[in-house]
């Protein structure tokens, strides 16, 4: 089993660890300390050694922050984690606050005072975020101060896990679709277009994509932790822990890539004196900016030049992810058949659900890892948006309720992410109606055509509109980017209420996952992955248009569909989707599973 069900934290972490952090703060003359979720690489999913927020608070979500002051502390989470944080964090130590509405800046304005010094680790914060935090602290008369060492790391001490040392391996051209040299030349042109001479890359996904390499330093993502300096002529310096480097990797990278150790990075940055250096303030921490300025380089602020070309998958990557989704769709179909038969005849628990699904994926012979820990929420646990089953929280399915399963896999040819909500026994009328509202939003987003240049923010309301009309909504984004055997959450594109200024371009993969959650009762989410295509021109049309092609192939639970709530066009769209599932997945399953799938894909 790749997924485990033990808990790495518990609510005692706050009472145990905050006094240690405060002692280390006092030794450095600090009145407070900022604890972001992100690590030195701005990762969403963290190596255990870098989960500082989890160690300090007990909270294990993928986004959040904390502020620890001498006499009080607060933790900040978004709407995905409002239930989870109450379960994991001791509220006698941490006040729970909203990460989005006001967030850490608003707290600093009111909770800090004149003359106080609040410390931060410059390796963990982006310069843009720091500017907002510094301004907020200044309003209260407090000062933000970069510190080394990190007092939390000092408090953690010898108990802190070691940094990961997974081997870095080549990612073959059969999956990457473009030689690293060609990518480096393309990105080098973008660097020159910014009137810069080099760029510093710190995002693991960009490094993996640019050099056609993969690693295993980050849980559920085949990412290598390291840094790179890319010159505009396409030559590069790649900084990795030597223990991760093999002779095969050296040969793969070639003569234009100079392999160096991570200890050599500060000296390499100093060598950029007098040069214009492009650095992304949203991806790289303030330490890089401070170090480059101190060295005498001229920092050019701009987007990571790898982010957009990485997001726009080439033909080989699209072909690969299509095959990965067919393979994964067959595994998920076998799982859904098990849910519809054996798991309906008796109650099962969430851990058995997760174990069964992983077993079906393992049986493909191609599974490299999960793309995230499987979310299997029975009944009320389904209302916890990013719930993960544990031995403590494990819940049995309940007749007359729902089971929400959100899962994904990492294959060499693609990354998958799918959510299906299944009725256990007979669902209530309310459950079916709200499932159908979510389905209507999902279908609208799948079918939309939109002008070239449109961003995901402009499309988000399509998925929410049926819920909004009934006074309902959900507190998470509608769609995130997905990598090609990389992270299951990938920018720069997204579909959400939050403003996004990156246009959706052909080859970008995004999720389509509206939902509805009734606290204490059940959760509903429907998620397929889809990629942006150039839409066929319509006679009389005046603008180039884009659309989406669906990648995910697995049936939906038609027992939850209130047919009368669907328009004729929506019924046709759902029937066409199920016809495609039968056509592409049917030949990949046999026996009882095939018979069940044929019935599950019948028109409504």
């Amino acid at each position: 089993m790749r997924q485990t069900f033990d808990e790495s934290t518990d609510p005692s972490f706050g009472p145990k660890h905050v006094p240690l952090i405060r002692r280390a703060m006092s030794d450095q003359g600090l009145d407070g300390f900022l604890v972001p979720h992100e690590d030195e690489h701005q990762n969403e999913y963290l190596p255990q050694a870098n989960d500082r927020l989890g160690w300090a608070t007990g909270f294990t979500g993928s986004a959040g922050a904390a502020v620890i002051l001498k006499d009080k502390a607060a933790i900040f989470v978004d709407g995905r984690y409002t239930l989870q944080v109450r379960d994991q964090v001791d509220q006698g130590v941490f006040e729970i606050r909203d990460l989005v509405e006001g967030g850490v800046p608003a707290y600093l304005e009111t909770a800090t005072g004149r003359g106080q010094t609040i410390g931060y680790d410059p390796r963990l914060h982006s310069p843009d975020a720091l500017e907002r935090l510094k301004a907020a602290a200044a309003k209260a008369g407090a000062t933000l101060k970069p510190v080394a060492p990190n007092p939390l790391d000092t408090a953690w001490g010898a108990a802190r896990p070691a940094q990961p040392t997974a081997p870095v391996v080549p990612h073959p051209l059969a999956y990457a679709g473009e030689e690293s040299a060609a990518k480096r030349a393309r990105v080098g042109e973008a660097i020159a277009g910014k009137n810069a001479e080099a760029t510093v890359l710190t995002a693991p996904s960009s490094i993996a994509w640019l050099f056609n390499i993969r690693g295993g330093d980050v849980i559920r993502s085949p990412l290598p932790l390291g840094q790179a300096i890319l010159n505009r002529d396409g030559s590069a310096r790649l900084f990795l822990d030597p223990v991760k480097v093999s002779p095969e990797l050296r040969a793969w990278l070639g003569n234009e890539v100079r392999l160096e150790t991570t200890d050599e990075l500060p000296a390499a940055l100093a060598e950029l004196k007098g040069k214009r250096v492009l650095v992304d303030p949203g991806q790289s921490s303030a330490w890089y900016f401070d170090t480059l300025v101190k060295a005498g380089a001229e920092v050019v602020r701009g987007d990571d030049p790898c982010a957009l070309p990485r997001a726009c998958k080439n033909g080989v990557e699209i072909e690969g992810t299509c095959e990965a989704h067919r393979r994964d769709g067959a595994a998920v179909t076998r799982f859904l058949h098990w849910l519809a038969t054996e798991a309906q005849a008796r109650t099962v628990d969430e851990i058995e659900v997760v174990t069964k699904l992983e077993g079906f994926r393992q049986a493909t012979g191609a599974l490299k890892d999960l793309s995230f820990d499987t979310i299997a929420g029975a009944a009320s646990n389904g209302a916890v948006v990013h719930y993960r089953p544990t031995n403590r929280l494990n819940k049995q399915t309940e007749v007359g309720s729902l089971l929400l399963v959100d899962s994904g896999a990492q294959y060499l040819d693609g990354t998958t992410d799918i959510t299906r909500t299944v009725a256990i026994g007979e669902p209530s009328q309310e459950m079916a109606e709200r499932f159908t509202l979510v389905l209507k939003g999902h279908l609208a987003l799948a079918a939309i055509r939109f002008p070239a240049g449109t961003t995901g923010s402009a499309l988000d309301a399509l998925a929410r509109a049926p819920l909004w009309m009934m006074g309902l909504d959900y507190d998470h984004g509608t769609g995130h980017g997905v990598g090609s055997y990389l992270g299951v959450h990938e920018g720069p594109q997204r579909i959400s209420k939050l403003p996004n200024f990156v246009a959706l371009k052909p080859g970008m993969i995004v999720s389509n996952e509206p939902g509805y959650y009734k606290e204490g009762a059940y959760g509903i989410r429907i998620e397929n992955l889809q990629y942006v295509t150039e839409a066929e021109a319509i006679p009389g049309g005046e603008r180039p248009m884009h659309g989406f092609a669906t990648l995910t192939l697995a049936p939906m639970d038609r027992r939850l569909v209130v047919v009368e709530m669907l328009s004729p066009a929506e019924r046709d769209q759902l029937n066409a989707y199920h016809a495609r599932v039968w056509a592409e997945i049917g030949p990949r399953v046999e026996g009882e599973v095939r018979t069940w799938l044929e019935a599950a894909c019948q028109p409504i």
Side-chain angles (χ1 to χ4, degrees):
M1 284 293 296
R2 289 170 167 81
Q3 185 162 334
T4 62
F5 306 100
D6 297 327
E7 294 181 82
S8 59
T9 68
D10 65 62
S12 72
F13 273 33
K16 288 191 300 187
H17 297 155
V18 167
L20 301 177
I21 297 169
R22 284 180 171 144
R23 192 177 310 153
M25 284 165 38
S26 177
D27 290 344
Q28 292 182 254
L30 301 175
D31 300 294
F33 187 67
L34 306 180
V35 185
H37 170 270
E38 292 75 20
D39 67 357
E40 290 86 340
H41 301 270
Q42 301 294 296
N43 281 315
E44 177 184 22
Y45 297 113
L46 303 174
Q48 193 175 2
N50 294 352
D51 190 4
R52 296 175 174 89
L53 184 63
W55 184 81
T57 69
F59 174 68
T60 60
S62 62
V67 178
I68 299 174
L69 304 174
K70 285 183 175 180
D71 57 350
K72 56 189 171 184
I75 184 167
F76 303 79
V77 300
D78 62 33
R80 297 171 294 175
Y81 296 112
T82 52
L83 299 181
Q84 179 177 330
V85 71
R86 292 180 219 160
D87 178 69
Q88 292 186 319
V89 175
D90 188 323
Q91 295 180 57
V93 177
F94 287 94
E95 176 189 356
I96 296 173
R97 297 179 66 114
D98 191 281
L99 182 65
V100 179
E101 296 296 327
V104 177
Y107 184 77
L108 290 176
E109 284 187 31
T110 58
T112 61
R114 186 166 300 280
Q116 289 188 327
T117 300
I118 311 301
Y120 69 90
D121 186 336
R123 292 177 178 265
L124 308 181
H125 298 265
S126 72
D128 284 355
L130 275 177
E131 288 303 316
R132 294 189 292 271
L133 295 173
K134 288 177 179 178
K139 288 183 180 180
T143 302
L144 259 58
K145 177 184 176 182
V147 295
N150 183 318
L152 189 153
D153 293 351
T154 301
W156 203 345
R160 184 182 179 190
Q163 288 292 328
T165 56
V168 178
V169 299
H171 188 55
L173 190 62
Y175 302 117
E178 183 181 11
E179 296 278 6
S180 173
K183 292 179 178 180
R184 286 186 276 112
R186 270 205 296 148
V187 177
E189 291 176 1
I191 296 169
K194 294 285 187 180
N195 195 25
E197 295 165 83
T199 187
V200 176
L201 300 172
T202 63
S205 55
S206 290
I207 291 168
W209 174 84
L210 182 66
F211 296 102
N212 286 342
I213 56 177
R214 297 295 187 268
D217 291 335
V218 179
I219 187 171
R220 307 298 179 230
S221 302
L223 295 174
L225 297 186
Q227 300 85 15
I229 297 173
L230 176 68
N231 300 309
R232 64 182 177 186
D233 65 1
S235 63
R237 303 170 75 172
L238 177 59
F239 302 88
L240 297 173
D241 186 331
V243 74
K244 303 176 186 178
V245 176
S246 66
E248 179 191 18
L249 180 67
R250 291 184 181 277
W252 175 257
L253 292 171
N255 294 330
E256 290 186 345
V257 178
R258 180 174 160 188
L259 259 176
E260 301 179 61
T261 71
T262 50
D263 291 339
E264 295 174 287
L265 176 63
L269 294 177
E271 291 176 26
L272 295 173
K273 177 181 180 179
K275 294 186 177 181
R276 288 174 55 84
V277 183
L278 176 65
V279 190
D280 186 342
Q283 289 287 341
S284 298
S285 70
W287 180 85
Y288 291 94
F289 289 78
D290 297 343
T291 302
L292 287 166
V293 170
K294 186 177 179 181
E298 183 179 351
V299 176
V300 178
R301 291 186 171 218
D303 293 337
D304 178 339
C306 295
L308 191 58
R310 182 187 73 231
C312 298
K313 309 298 182 284
N314 60 47
V316 169
E317 290 172 315
I318 290 295
E319 183 180 346
T321 200
C322 287
E323 176 57 25
H325 279 83
R326 287 189 287 266
R327 180 190 309 117
D328 199 61
V332 172
T333 294
R334 293 184 179 98
F335 165 73
L336 292 173
H337 166 259
W338 174 80
L339 277 183
T341 53
E342 185 176 340
Q344 294 281 353
R346 61 178 176 86
T347 58
V348 298
D349 63 33
E350 295 163 342
I351 289 178
E352 185 177 2
V353 168
V354 171
T355 303
K356 274 288 184 184
L357 179 51
E358 184 172 324
F360 286 121
R361 285 189 164 118
Q362 184 67 45
T364 65
L367 182 68
K368 302 299 288 185
D369 197 356
L370 306 179
S371 58
F372 56 96
D373 280 346
T374 298
I375 298 166
S380 59
N381 282 347
V384 183
V385 177
H386 276 200
Y387 170 79
R388 181 179 72 86
T390 65
N391 291 315
R392 176 176 64 91
L393 299 173
N394 188 31
K395 188 181 183 70
Q396 296 276 340
T397 54
E398 299 175 8
V399 174
S401 190
L402 302 178
L403 173 68
L404 186 156
V405 183
D406 186 349
S407 69
Q410 294 282 10
Y411 304 103
L412 285 172
D413 48 4
T415 300
T416 71
D417 183 1
I418 173 176
T419 308
R420 289 294 181 265
T421 304
V422 177
I424 304 298
E426 280 298 316
S428 70
Q429 184 66 21
E430 177 189 282
M431 293 172 183
E433 288 176 353
R434 296 193 175 179
F435 179 93
T436 307
L437 292 173
V438 173
L439 175 62
K440 288 169 71 70
H442 175 88
L443 293 172
L445 185 56
I448 190 62
R449 295 166 58 95
F450 51 92
T454 300
T455 69
S457 302
L459 304 182
D460 181 76
L462 292 166
R464 299 179 190 270
L467 289 162
W468 284 353
M469 294 300 290
M470 301 302 295
L472 308 171
D473 201 1
Y474 51 93
D475 292 325
H476 57 75
T478 300
H480 55 83
V482 178
S484 177
Y485 189 45
L486 282 173
V488 74
H489 292 159
E490 176 181 272
Q493 76 277 17
R494 67 171 182 264
I495 301 173
S496 74
K497 291 180 181 179
L498 297 174
N500 182 267
F501 303 104
V502 177
L504 294 169
K505 295 180 178 292
M508 286 182 170
I509 300 173
V510 292
S511 64
N512 174 356
E513 51 179 309
Y516 169 76
Y517 310 91
K518 186 171 184 177
E519 185 174 348
Y522 58 86
I524 297 166
R525 187 158 65 250
I526 302 170
E527 178 185 17
N528 285 347
L529 299 189
Q530 52 197 37
Y531 66 94
V532 181
T533 65
E534 293 182 358
E536 184 177 343
I538 294 177
E542 297 178 350
R543 300 187 181 188
M545 303 294 286
H546 292 161
F548 292 115
T550 298
L551 288 164
T552 306
L553 296 169
M556 300 180 192
D557 191 344
R558 296 182 311 144
R559 295 174 300 154
L560 284 165
V561 179
V562 181
V563 177
E564 296 76 21
M565 292 174 61
L566 299 181
S567 69
E570 289 169 334
R571 293 184 205 178
D572 290 346
Q573 186 182 350
L574 181 60
N575 288 338
Y577 174 74
H578 277 141
R580 183 180 165 211
V581 170
W582 168 243
E584 297 195 38
I585 304 301
R588 292 173 177 252
V589 295
E590 299 174 345
E592 292 181 359
V593 178
R594 181 177 168 86
T595 301
W596 173 84
L597 178 62
E598 184 175 18
C601 292
Q602 289 299 303
I604 59 172

